[in-house]
Amino acid sequence: MQLVLRQVQDRTGIVSLNHAAKRNALSRNLIEELIGALSEMKAASVRSVILRAEPGAAVWSAGHDVTELPTSGRDPLSYDDPLRRVVRSIELLPMPVIAMIEGSVWGGACELAMTCDLTIATPEVTFAFTPTRLGVPYNTAGIVNMMKSIGVPLLKEMLFTARPISAERALRLGMINDVVPSDELEGFTGQLADQIAETSPMCVTLMKEELRILSKSRPMSAETFERLQGQRRHVYDSRDYREGIQSFLEKRRPEFTGE
Ligand code: LCV
């Protein structure tokens, strides 16, 4: 079964999360398919991508697949983890991604939605950003990413309480672009995509990239910090790392293999 469906309608790509049985939990497999679908849309040179769940979804996405959270003392959200990779895929896609949301949004799926360039929701939608409920040390780049769309007071409330907030409040506080009745959601979002298709693609791509870079402009971007953390962990988990120490203790030349 395909966990992510994709189609091209005129100049718009439509990518649908398709794992309702698991409430579109962001498992490694679903994310791999989502990354693949996004690159297919890029290859098809669509003007924008609509990211949605199945029509009438009660849950847009339940967030990170909790069964895949590591319990071995390893960082659950390090640079190369699936959620981090799909966030970067959306950020680096040269065309806008519009999150079209029905149902509730949980945990890392809030970041998935906020990473999209535009967010349109129905009045019934709620957003619950839940790391503190799971005791998960959310990663710094993810927090910086959320700060792009959510003011710090609201983000603190969402993080410190893990309580859902309504679409109406998210709209009022500038977290999302619009709230429309569910029977108008597809038409409204399609019109938005059509308007984007009428503008200069080169300009849209340039300004999406300018905004990506400028919105991350921190003394050292959190993402750079975590990329180095990920590289460091790769090394200190490696055989060469152990070989280096062992050869020193045995007073012999190390035999490094790059593994
Ligand atoms: C795996 C699931 C999940 C799921 N993983 O249906 O942001 S952070 O730091 O927290 C980050 C680490 C993160 O994103 O963590 C995940 C945060 N997500 C949540 O806390 C939401 C967890 N899910 C729920 O609260 C409920 O499933 C909701 C309210 C989304 C839907 O409730 P509903 O009663 O409609 P079920 O709970 O019965 O779930 C249906 C199936 O989906 C699985 C769940 O285990 C069940 O599987 P089985 O039918 O095999 O029992 N499922 C739901 N969420 N995040 N699996």
Side-chain angles (χ1 to χ4, degrees):
M1 176 188 87
Q2 275 191 307
L3 302 178
V4 175
L5 306 176
R6 66 278 264 164
Q7 65 178 42
V8 175
Q9 268 179 10
D10 298 328
R11 293 176 287 181
T12 303
I14 298 174
V15 173
S16 304
L17 306 177
N18 184 47
H19 200 195
K22 291 289 184 184
R23 305 300 184 267
N24 293 327
L26 302 177
S27 62
R28 180 177 296 277
N29 291 340
L30 184 144
I31 285 180
E32 293 304 336
E33 286 195 34
L34 179 51
I35 291 171
L38 291 171
S39 56
E40 286 171 34
M41 293 300 141
K42 179 181 173 185
S45 301
V46 297
R47 294 299 323 282
S48 67
V49 176
I50 294 173
L51 178 60
R52 63 170 303 164
E54 68 280 4
V59 179
W60 191 72
S61 171
H64 200 294
D65 185 324
V66 173
T67 64
E68 293 182 358
L69 286 173
T71 53
S72 56
R74 291 183 67 86
D75 184 341
L77 293 168
S78 67
Y79 186 79
D80 291 321
D81 282 319
L83 181 60
R84 306 315 320 152
R85 288 178 46 239
V86 71
V87 162
R88 292 196 297 270
S89 294
I90 293 172
E91 288 179 328
L92 294 170
L93 204 72
M95 60 283 293
V97 180
I98 306 168
M100 186 175 86
I101 303 185
E102 296 175 275
S104 53
V105 186
W106 299 85
C110 288
E111 188 186 355
L112 181 69
M114 293 300 104
T115 304
C116 294
D117 300 286
L118 302 167
T119 307
I120 312 296
T122 67
E124 300 74 26
V125 163
T126 57
F127 297 92
F129 192 31
T130 51
T132 53
R133 192 169 80 168
L134 279 168
V136 168
Y138 213 76
N139 65 301
T140 316
I143 296 293
V144 168
N145 198 16
M146 293 295 272
M147 288 168 68
K148 289 186 313 189
S149 317
I150 306 175
V152 172
L154 177 61
L155 185 52
K156 283 183 176 177
E157 178 190 326
M158 292 179 77
L159 280 167
F160 299 163
T161 68
R163 272 184 325 119
I165 66 158
S166 67
E168 181 277 326
R169 188 148 177 244
L171 177 66
R172 180 158 38 88
L173 296 172
M175 182 177 149
I176 63 177
N177 294 80
D178 231 313
V179 174
V180 297
S182 50
D183 61 352
E184 297 172 21
L185 182 66
E186 287 190 8
F188 182 93
T189 310
Q191 272 177 14
L192 183 60
D194 291 344
Q195 286 158 7
I196 293 172
E198 294 304 315
T199 60
S200 154
M202 291 172 72
C203 283
V204 169
T205 296
L206 166 70
M207 287 166 204
K208 176 170 175 176
E209 179 63 359
E210 283 175 324
L211 285 165
R212 183 184 75 83
I213 291 169
L214 291 170
S215 61
K216 287 177 184 284
S217 51
R218 301 276 192 290
M220 171 171 133
S221 86
E223 195 168 357
T224 303
F225 169 75
E226 289 182 352
R227 177 164 52 78
L228 294 176
Q229 285 293 93
Q231 283 176 279
R232 285 185 58 246
R233 177 185 288 277
H234 186 64
V235 171
Y236 65 67
D237 275 352
S238 67
R239 179 207 162 280
D240 273 1
Y241 172 75
R242 292 187 297 278
E243 164 62 10
I245 294 172
Q246 197 60 28
S247 62
F248 176 83
L249 296 176
E250 294 172 0
K251 300 188 186 328
R252 61 177 175 77
R253 285 172 60 81
E255 292 175 15
F256 289 129
T257 60
E259 291 169 341

